[in-house]
Amino acid sequence: MAAKVTTNQSSIKDDSELTANDPELQTNVSSKKRLSSSSNMLATSSLISPTGLTSLISFIVLTCAYISGFMSRLFSVIRFESIIHEFDPWFNYRSTAYMTENGFYNFLNWFDELAWYPLGRIVGGTIYPGLMVTSGVIHWFLHMINIPIHIREICVFLAPFFSGLTALATYLFTKELWSRRAGLFAAAFIAIAPGYSSRSVAGSYDNEGIAIFALMFTYFLWIRSVKTGSVFWSSCTALSYFYMVSAWGGYVFIINLIPVHVFVLIVLRRYSLRLYVSYSIFYILGLILSMQIPFVGFQPVRTSEHMLAAGVFALLQAYAFIDYLYTKIPRAADIKQLFFGLIMIVGLIVFAAVVVLTYAGYIAPWSGRFYSLWDTNYAKIHIPIIASVSEHQPTTWTSFFFDLHLLICLFPVGAWFCIKELTDERVFIVLYAVFASYFAGVMIRLMLTLTPCVCVLAAIALSKTLDYYADTETSDMSTSPVVPTNDGDGDDTESDKNNRNLYDKAGKPKPIPGRRGTPGTNPEAEEDTSIVSSNIKTVVVICIAMMLMLFAVHCTWVTSNAYSSPSIVLASYNNDGSRYIIDDFREAYYWLRKNTPERARVMSWWDYGYQIAGMGNRTVLVDNNTWNNSHIALVGKAMSSNETEAYKIMTMLDVDYVLVIFGGMIGYSGDDINKFLWMVRIAEGEHPKDIREQDYFTENGEFRVDRTGSPVLLNCLMYKLCYYRFGELQTDFRSPPGFDRTRHVEIGNKNFDLQHVEEAYTTEHWIVRIYKVKKLANRLQAKNALRQVQRRKSIYSTTKKVAGQARKQGVILNKPQIKKGTKISKRKT
Amino acid sequence: MISKVLSKQDVLSEKVGQLTDLSLQKPLIRLNSERFKYYVTSQPRNYSVFVMLTALAPARKCAICQDAHNEYELVARSYRYSNAFSKSVFFAMVDFDDASDIFQSLKLNSAPVFIHFPPKTSPKKSDYMDIHRREFSAEQVAKWVYERADIRIQLIRPPNYAQFLPIVLIITAILLLFYIKRETPKIFYSPIIWGIITVGLVCYYISGQTWNRINKPPFTSQRKTDMGLFANDSNMQYVAETYIVRKHIINIDISSNNSWL
């Protein structure tokens, strides 16, 4: 184990060097390549074939990007251990483990009775199985070739593995859009960008880890199929889309963005047969494939989120038909306006049909989660459970900068360049940029979908800038926007540009080969555009290289410090820099696993549901799959009422144990008291008569736990469970007993007893406190307790008889005694 | 004795009948001093009354009173046309200029005040709506009504046409532009225009304007001691600071673009 750790450390050292050097490498690469192409252009006497050299360099850079992407995500494994992080990954891990044990079909039919007691959860129909299937397939494959790896290791390292693949997909995507050099930049960026690594560090075993790969790969295939118009590529797009649907609910982004692309292309009069073929095939295949996922089911034909795709499909068919008529009818140009009107009418009919169907109830309206993206205040008012999650908050500009650093500044530049030289596929990236930045602004979590787009556009901007500045030898910078290169892709873009004016003559999938594109053919442009001297160019290149280095340093720092914490193991640093591990969560869950009855039901706030089920193997009432708001509200109500009321709810729900997270002892801020107001709010949403948020505030409207706090708060169950016997504890000599370190106050209600629950376990740092719910108390005994006396007498007499009998001599062992059958059993025990 | 009881019931039914008529005429019953005493404070009463005490006259210079009145009237109207409408709950209002003695007798020196008069008893402390902690938006008032009188009012807010106005204007402008330029539609395909629009949108979003729209922060730091343009907390930002950031991003764009022009 120790050896393993040291190797890991050495590798991470390499990695940091590598990431630091990477952008420099990049600039070197591009300048080298530039040199190679220019040398090719000037004289073909070079010894190495330039094509081979560029391929080799691309290969090396991509390998480096892959490795650095993988390595920079291993901080948490090196610092802590190979462990599943946070909340949702625990469920994914548990179901993956179930699937590898019981097989895929049992997994699809799995009824999970550990969750949502007493309702349970049908897992197969309520998850996106792509993640589990992916790691299951890897597990199966490795076992087939006799590598007996544990499924947990696969789960831990799946996200870094896939982020390397994302880098490759981004490279391909950018190569289709712009050039190979920009692709290399984009691959290097996405490999280390914190916006993406925040969701894909080792151990963060969540859908997003593989979904971003699927997203980028689908986009690449889509661009490819739009460019070629081939059935093969669009079928591939549909397949990749199917993988995305099986992996993440964010597939809705694809199924809306691609139709928007098609629609905008039609509006911009860029319709072509290529577009028709690729979208029609993609839509039909993608629709049928996506309906195979049980969780998605009939949603693609029944919900508003998918109606854009259907509407655009109908519109495209109509457009194609009218376009066909236009070419067939003689003198169609005279009645051009008729055709235009026809198309408009068809568009309106499609739109009206969708609206009518929605009102008639055939199509479900936008669900709350999606609707809150448009109406930004909707969730705040109507769905507190969505608003309560911190990653559903809007994004400040600081988080944009924190997650994307230099790239966010280059991002609009890239968008500008793309618009200035618009082609069919660049329309796509521009739309992607606009929509993704809107969504990322609304919800901090969707920064994840913005990151690839930012990487691509920043790479384009940077690559175009460097095309000019890194070329210090020649100044062939012409007004021609795309710097022609001698690889095939440059050729493609160039010819596309030339074809743009001919777009109306549809069905021209392939550019004429060898048309031109060698830079030597435009010598007149070479005349004099080099205003900038070569020295200044060098300076600029050095500046850019330094900025990129800073970017790499920033990315490594952010990934290491902000996103690599497993959050179930906490680390604190002493003054001398030594590290102190706080492992209370696992301590508590392990206690639950070992010391409670197997069928015990644990009540906690929903955040910890997956962890209790995953690590503690006990039944929970609510968990992170927040599908049943009223059940959660009931738990919230129990937590926020006083003990007697709470006991009624707890007996109603068959609760055996209550688990709370308390950070006041060591100053852990993510504890239940800080989340408490959300519990109150959610409870209030369902039970407004019993729970009122104002009751938990002081007169001045403050939320305080000290002496001035509201009496309702100081007597509610959550408060009592958190602070039970905390008043006896003096954490520090400078502070009074019962001093809460998270909220920096002395608690208000110190000496109280618990009536219906009793303390069962408290972890080392008091982070997790577990209480046992007592059974219903006996009735109070009557004053003249005649019956009680009789009963005690009889018990007493029997025990005495047993004792007396044992002393008797000559008693035959195991002699059947019918009258005193109970005694034998007694003796046995 | 019997006649007295009868007369009491008569009074009660008369009062209820009159109040129902009044609220059918106008959802929000406007009371003066005598009617307030007759309907609201004096017994017998088997209905609860929600009263807003306010000062609507322009001379009183109560700016929020008008807003509160609009919101309250919305609640009353929604109640009037809803299924929950019954003879046990009424909405009323009292203007300071109509009945200043009521303000004195209730020892009120501010407006607006919302009070619930429960049936039979006089209002307790919890029957005063706490407008310092809650806003007096219609939703909050309806929630308060639900807490006090157990009547759930489905608010029917008349659509606010003003918020559609800019959208309609923009669409008309675009259509107009189309119509004017229908002979030379080239301009719609000009990448410069689309580029400016796109980059503007992108910069708008990535500089955190959505956050401003949702959380409505102050323009600059509110503390007297320092005029901070930038917030110290990473979860906070001021409006001014986002403008600066946006400007910077655009500057960077322009400068890097200049090297190309």
Side-chain angles (χ1 to χ4, degrees), chain B residues 92-131:
Chain B
M93 62 158 289
V94 176
D95 195 51
F96 182 76
D97 295 300
D98 292 347
S100 54
D101 54 325
I102 295 171
F103 277 71
Q104 282 162 16
S105 67
L106 289 166
K107 299 194 185 77
L108 300 173
N109 47 19
S110 68
V113 177
F114 297 90
I115 308 174
H116 167 232
F117 288 85
K120 298 192 172 108
T121 51
S122 57
K124 291 186 283 291
K125 190 169 177 290
S126 56
D127 285 318
Y128 286 73
M129 183 171 153
D130 191 351
I131 61 164

Side-chain angles (χ1 to χ4, degrees), chain B residues 203-218:
Chain B
C203 290
Y204 178 86
Y205 294 131
I206 64 176
S207 59
Q209 305 295 329
T210 328
W211 197 93
N212 287 349
R213 251 186 49 213
I214 294 174
N215 291 333
K216 300 188 180 65

Side-chain angles (χ1 to χ4, degrees), chain A residues 397 412 416 694 698-699, chain B residues 133-134 237 241 253 257 260:
Chain A
W397 72 268
W416 177 257
Q694 314 147 331
T698 59
E699 289 290 317
Chain B
R133 206 171 294 162
R134 299 175 157 194
Q237 63 181 12
E241 108 184 46
D253 292 1
N257 201 36
W260 281 98

